[in-house]
Amino acid sequence: MQWLTKWFRSDVDSVQTQRLFQSLLTLAWTVEAKDPYTGGHLWRVSQFASAVAQAEQWSKEERAIATLGGFLHDLGKVSVPDAILKKTDKLTDDEFAIIQSHPNEGLYILEGHPLGPIVRNAVGLHHERVDGQGYPNKLSDEAIPPEAKLIAICDAFDAMTSHRPYRQAMPKQKAINIVEENLGSQFDVSLGQRFVSLAKAGEFDAIIAHTDEGIPLHHCPTCGPTITRYRDDAPGQLLHCPLCLQQAKLVKTKNAYHLEPTGVQIPASKQRRKPDTSLIKRVIQETISTIPTQALLERAEGSR
């Protein structure tokens, strides 16, 4: 890996650097396209993690690792069958075992990527619990790296405040209460307290149920807030609900966007959208401009 560090040392902010980061984040969007209930999940978890890391006064490098880890933590779900991800009934033991395999599957996908070591902990350990009852390794307390502990909280909170196949999104305060009730068992006490403090102060209100800064999920008349709008979508853009597959047209009235049903139901084979490349590029550019890129590359090399 010395060739990698030497290559970037000459021009840390090069186009090659952006492409390397982009290749990593684009991997994650395969999960967003696969699971219709997680629209914006990666962005939200990433934003929660970044905000907590900043409040905890983590270094720029540590904050970058948490931010990138938030985007990539669910990478392994690409190997989980659609029928399991979308199942509305209780999972069987065998199906839950498949779900539990996704952290290790994510590590397999990262294997060989130059930046893989930077987000390995977030991808492979975000379902560990401080009481040792998590998966896949049943690690506890200090054996769990800080970024994995942080992603665990952010991931669970977003799952609770988002629609899922088996339930509707719960109110923010209820989700906060559940996090508080599980401090010291499921969640790290110190990081959890910081997360709860920020949530109660309203610091996450512009993230919850959003898919990008200032862009909330749109409501499908049938399924609730499940329709994702990209920042580059212009009025007249045809969008659709990934659950009931009903099509809707994006309309702008004054300064507000809303959707008008077209009455068309699209085939399931055409429901997936391409990755939001403009969002990916923007996150990468912001990340590269604010972090010690060289330090991350050296960390990736040193951990191999």
Side-chain angles (χ1 to χ4, degrees):
M1 288 297 296
Q2 291 183 350
W3 65 269
L4 179 67
T5 304
K6 183 177 180 180
W7 180 38
F8 283 110
R9 187 169 288 126
S10 61
D11 188 2
V12 172
D13 296 320
S14 66
V15 173
Q16 290 92 335
T17 306
Q18 294 189 33
R19 287 176 178 172
L20 189 62
F21 275 93
Q22 184 172 351
S23 70
L24 193 62
L25 269 65
T26 302
L27 286 173
W29 250 260
T30 59
V31 177
E32 292 270 299
K34 184 179 178 67
D35 187 351
Y37 281 90
T38 60
H41 175 65
L42 305 182
W43 179 81
R44 291 191 295 272
V45 172
S46 178
Q47 293 299 298
F48 291 145
S50 179
V52 175
Q54 184 175 26
E56 285 286 289
Q57 297 184 336
W58 286 9
S59 69
K60 289 183 178 180
E61 182 182 346
E62 291 166 337
R63 182 181 172 188
I65 290 171
T67 302
L68 294 171
F71 267 101
L72 287 154
H73 72 282
D74 269 344
L75 185 60
K77 281 189 175 179
V78 72
S79 66
V80 178
D82 289 359
I84 295 178
L85 288 176
K86 300 176 184 178
K87 188 174 182 180
T88 56
D89 299 326
K90 184 178 179 180
L91 296 177
T92 67
D93 290 343
D94 288 342
E95 289 169 336
F96 188 59
I98 292 174
I99 288 289
Q100 288 183 310
S101 71
H102 82 268
N104 282 334
E105 290 294 326
L107 294 180
Y108 297 149
I109 294 171
L110 283 175
E111 188 65 31
H113 193 287
L115 296 180
I118 295 172
V119 294
R120 180 182 291 151
N121 291 334
V123 171
L125 304 177
H126 67 280
H127 280 292
E128 302 292 344
R129 296 168 48 120
V130 294
D131 62 6
Q133 299 302 306
Y135 64 86
N137 303 304
K138 294 191 178 299
L139 301 180
S140 61
D141 202 17
E142 296 304 316
I144 307 172
E147 65 267 33
K149 290 179 178 179
L150 176 54
I151 298 301
I153 301 168
C154 301
D155 184 35
F157 182 81
D158 188 64
M160 289 186 281
T161 53
S162 302
H163 277 38
R164 285 295 183 265
Y166 43 86
R167 59 155 174 77
Q168 297 291 301
M170 65 178 65
K172 179 184 77 169
Q173 187 57 53
K174 183 177 180 180
I176 292 173
N177 293 342
I178 291 175
V179 172
E180 284 189 299
E181 291 166 4
N182 287 277
L183 295 180
S185 55
Q186 183 174 356
F187 306 121
D188 178 77
V189 174
S190 179
L191 289 173
Q193 289 175 336
R194 176 71 72 178
F195 187 97
V196 166
S197 175
L198 292 172
K200 288 182 176 179
E203 295 296 321
F204 298 149
D205 290 354
I207 302 173
I208 296 170
H210 285 64
T211 58
D212 192 355
E213 185 176 351
I215 301 182
L217 281 164
H218 284 275
H219 281 70
C220 169
T222 303
C223 304
T226 54
I227 300 181
T228 301
R229 171 171 67 92
Y230 294 171
R231 184 175 299 278
D232 293 342
D233 288 339
Q237 175 76 40
L238 294 175
L239 305 175
H240 70 275
C241 174
L243 306 182
C244 66
L245 305 184
Q246 294 295 323
Q247 189 184 75
K249 182 172 67 174
L250 185 64
V251 176
K252 185 176 183 181
T253 304
K254 294 184 179 179
N255 294 323
Y257 285 90
H258 66 277
L259 296 176
E260 292 183 355
T262 65
V264 175
Q265 186 175 42
I266 67 169
S269 61
K270 297 182 179 180
Q271 67 170 296
R272 294 177 179 173
R273 297 194 71 185
K274 294 180 179 180
D276 190 349
T277 54
S278 63
L279 173 59
I280 294 173
K281 290 179 180 178
R282 189 168 71 254
V283 169
I284 293 168
Q285 289 168 354
E286 291 173 354
T287 301
I288 291 176
S289 68
T290 59
I291 65 173
T293 311
Q294 188 64 40
L296 288 182
L297 293 169
E298 291 175 352
R299 174 182 286 222
E301 179 182 333
S303 62
R304 289 186 179 275

